[in-house]
Amino acid sequence: MRKKIVAANWKMNMTQAESARFVESLLVDLGDILDVEVVIIPPFTAIARVTESLGKAQNIKVGAQNMHWERNGAFTGEISSALLRDLFVRYVVLGHSERRSLFGETDEMVNLKVRAAHEAALRPIVCVGETLEQREKGKVEKVLSTQLRGSLADLGEKELLETVIAYEPVWAIGTGKVATAAQAQEAHAFIRGTLSKISDETTADKIRIQYGGSVKPDNARELMSQADIDGALVGGASLDPRSFAQIVKAAQKEE
Ligand code: PEP
């Protein structure tokens, strides 16, 4: 059984004070949730404040939105795995489509980062997904396969098991256009099939694959009830603690 994982990607939003207020409100709703893994992914500047505000609530983890593959050195403006570990970060989002399209990240760069994350015992959330043009040209499988094979190159079984994949169709991110549950499930099943070719079926069966792209409280349950959808990576709707909490609750098994 794969434990569902729901993560809040705040992107370039949330001051320290806003982050603390968010956590305070979230703990009221999710303070004792144990059957879903919850991850908050603030901007670097609010990571320490989120960790401090979470206090003893060890059921909620903290992530980062990016990192460089070198551990330290002359890389002005960059953040490394060692610096993230120093802030008690557990997860790191790598290869988000905004990093790929706005900052020129390639699969090779994502792979360097994924391997550096594992070396530092950080768990990467590796994002893959096609653009609308690629979907309309029938290239979804080719794009996903290339991104997965490139980003996950040279990982061993243990590292793959500690990697989370996020399927985020680029046309659904921040657009309000959500993939239908059937479209998302089809892509997730293809991703799992590709993971089984990269490793083996037993390993692929244990790897969690999140869906991301305009997830909201009203579409979250249907998406996350699909066989191969193991949680959500949430952007816009994660900025409001009540709506994020509702999405996390939608990942819980119905009584
Ligand atoms: C994201 O950027 O990871 C994302 C899924 O954003 P949104 O939920 O706003 O579409």
Side-chain angles (χ1 to χ4, degrees):
M1 258 314 275
R2 300 179 296 265
K3 185 172 182 173
K4 293 245 187 323
I5 173 165
V6 179
N9 174 15
W10 287 351
K11 309 194 185 191
M12 200 168 67
N13 298 292
M14 301 290 256
T15 62
Q16 294 191 62
E18 287 165 344
S19 303
R21 280 198 295 277
F22 180 104
V23 172
E24 200 181 309
S25 164
L26 195 71
L27 287 176
V28 174
D29 285 323
L30 302 181
D32 54 4
I33 195 158
L34 292 173
D35 52 348
V36 178
E37 196 166 352
V38 180
V39 187
I40 301 179
I41 308 175
F44 294 129
T45 47
I47 288 176
R49 188 65 178 269
V50 167
T51 303
E52 182 193 322
S53 305
L54 283 169
K56 294 203 172 76
Q58 291 190 352
N59 58 329
I60 301 179
K61 315 257 175 32
V62 181
Q65 298 174 18
N66 182 31
M67 63 168 229
H68 195 271
W69 57 84
E70 294 289 347
R71 279 183 66 81
N72 44 44
F75 299 96
T76 303
E78 293 291 332
I79 297 283
S80 73
S81 59
L83 300 177
L84 294 179
R85 287 295 309 239
D86 191 41
L87 291 172
F88 309 105
V89 163
R90 306 285 285 279
Y91 283 91
V92 58
V93 174
L94 297 174
H96 190 281
S97 67
E98 286 151 18
R99 302 278 340 151
R100 292 177 186 265
S101 67
L102 302 173
F103 302 100
E105 280 193 16
T106 62
D107 290 328
E108 291 70 30
M109 290 157 81
V110 176
N111 181 242
L112 286 170
K113 294 179 179 202
V114 170
R115 284 162 40 204
H118 282 300
E119 269 166 36
L122 287 169
R123 294 178 174 219
I125 297 177
V126 180
C127 302
V128 294
E130 80 288 356
T131 62
L132 186 57
E133 194 191 348
Q134 289 165 334
R135 176 164 281 265
E136 285 172 350
K137 287 190 176 151
K139 291 188 177 159
V140 176
E141 296 193 349
K142 172 99 186 53
V143 170
L144 294 179
S145 167
T146 305
Q147 289 180 341
L148 286 166
R149 288 175 188 280
S151 307
L152 305 177
D154 299 325
L155 296 193
E157 182 191 327
K158 180 172 176 292
E159 291 159 333
L160 284 168
L161 289 173
E162 286 173 359
T163 300
V164 176
I165 307 297
Y167 169 60
E168 298 208 308
V170 179
W171 47 272
I173 297 179
T175 58
K177 276 188 209 149
V178 63
T180 63
Q183 277 173 327
Q185 166 55 27
E186 193 184 354
H188 280 236
F190 175 78
I191 289 171
R192 201 173 302 288
T194 306
L195 292 172
S196 75
K197 288 183 199 146
I198 291 174
S199 53
D200 57 73
E201 213 171 305
T202 319
T203 306
D205 230 26
K206 294 183 187 149
I207 299 174
R208 293 177 297 175
I209 310 171
Q210 297 176 305
Y211 171 79
S214 297
V215 175
K216 304 271 179 310
D218 60 4
N219 58 28
R221 189 174 290 282
E222 194 192 356
L223 285 161
M224 290 190 282
S225 61
Q226 303 301 308
D228 288 289
I229 302 187
D230 309 312
L233 181 55
V234 189
S238 77
L239 295 172
D240 172 46
R242 302 310 295 268
S243 76
F244 182 63
Q246 283 176 328
I247 294 170
V248 173
K249 286 182 179 171
Q252 290 184 292
K253 272 190 233 69
E254 280 179 282
E255 299 290 300

